[in-house]
Amino acid sequence: MGKMRVPAAWPERIRALARGELQPVVPRRAATVLLLKDDGHLPVVHMLRRRASMAFAAGAYAFPGGGVDPRDERPVRWAGPALEDWARALGVGPAEAQAVVCAAVRETFEESGVLLAGPDAGTVVADTTGEDWERDRTALVAHDLAFADFLDRRGLVLRTDLLRAFGRWITPEFEERRYDTWFFLAALPAGQRTRDVSGEADRTAWLRLADAVGGYDRGELAMLPPTVSMLRDLLPYGSVAAALDGAAGRDLAPVIATAAVDAAGAVVLTWPGHDEFTFTLAAPGGEAQ
């Protein structure tokens, strides 16, 4: 099992929280998408390695995704499950559900060039590599263009039926930057391809699920707990279609780490239901376990 890389600021922040001296930051809503495609007889997943200069999860492998833009709540042409169905599935209100789903599609386009939208409810755009697409993508990244306006101008329908909700994790209360993140699965649309366009990544790759998990377990690939957890949950599936089918009925109750300070002053981190991430930070002068 790979060893978690614990940020240097965590021990004191955790102890300050335990003493009642730290006010938790309100988590920002976010969405991330595991783009999948079949490679031979096994699915592969698109991953990005976050630049070492990033303030959050620097150097870690992750999936395309990011925070919700308030403008993601603007009305869009919608294909797939009704907004009310998405709201029930995600455990939020309709407006918040739309924002999360729109953020998932928007961030995937911004960070990989892949767009889960089409001219109508039964089609998907086949190619997003032209200069005009790139101008729109960079305008979205710069927040100069709202996603709803982008779709409307191009006459596109949001293909929410191509997404499958797969999990929800909330950054621990003691973190300086917190996110309430929904994880989705999606198959790479026919004709489209990922591009190395994310300004937040210094490497992109399609990885077999077992290779990604093995890299983490050997300590070769840094990942946050939700990332490797999503990958482990996908290991049993032998195809993208099977993985998408397997997402039905997933438990979307949020996972959030808890921290307790024991009598010796050591901090014990636990992620409920995910024992592999339990981590002990020794009292000052001791060693972490």
Side-chain angles (χ1 to χ4, degrees):
M1 180 184 72
K3 185 175 182 180
M4 278 188 56
R5 299 180 184 179
V6 176
W10 273 16
E12 183 47 41
R13 290 186 63 83
I14 291 169
R15 293 187 174 96
L17 180 66
R19 295 192 299 266
E21 300 170 359
L22 180 68
Q23 182 66 36
V25 175
V26 175
R28 181 185 178 189
R29 295 173 298 167
T32 191
V33 175
L34 285 71
L35 276 176
L36 303 168
K37 67 177 182 179
D38 287 316
D39 180 14
H41 298 292
L42 292 171
V44 292
V45 62
H46 182 64
M47 301 196 75
L48 320 172
R49 184 175 65 188
R50 294 174 61 82
R51 293 185 183 278
S53 58
M54 296 300 295
F56 182 80
Y61 278 79
F63 313 114
V68 167
D69 183 329
R71 298 176 297 177
D72 288 331
E73 292 187 4
R74 291 186 184 178
V76 296
R77 294 169 64 197
W78 191 272
L83 186 53
E84 292 73 17
D85 294 333
W86 273 113
R88 282 192 294 271
L90 301 181
V92 295
E96 188 172 7
Q98 176 180 304
V100 170
V101 172
C102 281
V105 177
R106 176 180 53 75
E107 286 284 343
T108 299
F109 180 55
E110 289 182 13
E111 296 202 336
S112 73
V114 170
L115 182 61
L116 304 176
D120 56 56
T123 59
V124 184
V125 293
D127 184 11
T128 62
T129 60
E131 291 184 6
D132 59 331
W133 287 104
E134 185 59 17
R135 281 194 295 271
D136 282 348
R137 191 194 66 78
T138 55
L140 287 167
V141 171
H143 300 285
D144 293 334
L145 177 63
F147 191 55
D149 294 338
F150 162 71
L151 293 175
D152 183 61
R153 189 172 70 195
R154 288 185 171 270
L156 296 176
V157 177
L158 193 72
R159 290 290 308 276
T160 77
D161 56 310
L162 301 180
L163 290 169
R164 301 289 188 276
F166 203 63
R168 180 183 179 186
W169 288 59
I170 301 177
T171 312
E173 290 186 331
F174 48 80
E175 260 282 24
E176 295 178 77
R177 292 174 176 80
R178 301 188 65 211
Y179 299 92
D180 183 353
T181 305
W182 283 262
F183 290 79
F184 298 88
L185 306 182
L188 178 69
Q192 293 195 40
R193 59 184 177 87
T194 55
R195 294 183 286 131
D196 188 1
V197 292
S198 175
E200 299 181 357
D202 61 14
R203 180 179 184 242
T204 64
W206 284 95
L207 299 175
R208 288 193 173 185
L209 301 171
D211 291 342
V213 172
Y216 169 83
D217 286 341
R218 293 189 298 272
E220 298 169 358
L221 303 181
M223 297 181 197
L224 294 177
T227 305
V228 70
S229 176
M230 296 294 110
L231 292 171
R232 288 201 197 281
D233 286 354
L234 286 174
L235 283 175
Y237 300 108
S239 69
V240 174
L244 296 179
D245 288 344
R250 286 271 297 185
D251 182 3
L252 296 183
V255 177
I256 182 170
T258 58
V261 181
D262 66 18
V267 173
V268 180
L269 291 178
T270 57
W271 277 259
H274 300 270
D275 292 343
E276 74 163 296
F277 304 121
T278 298
F279 198 93
T280 300
L281 298 167
E287 295 184 358
Q289 300 176 4

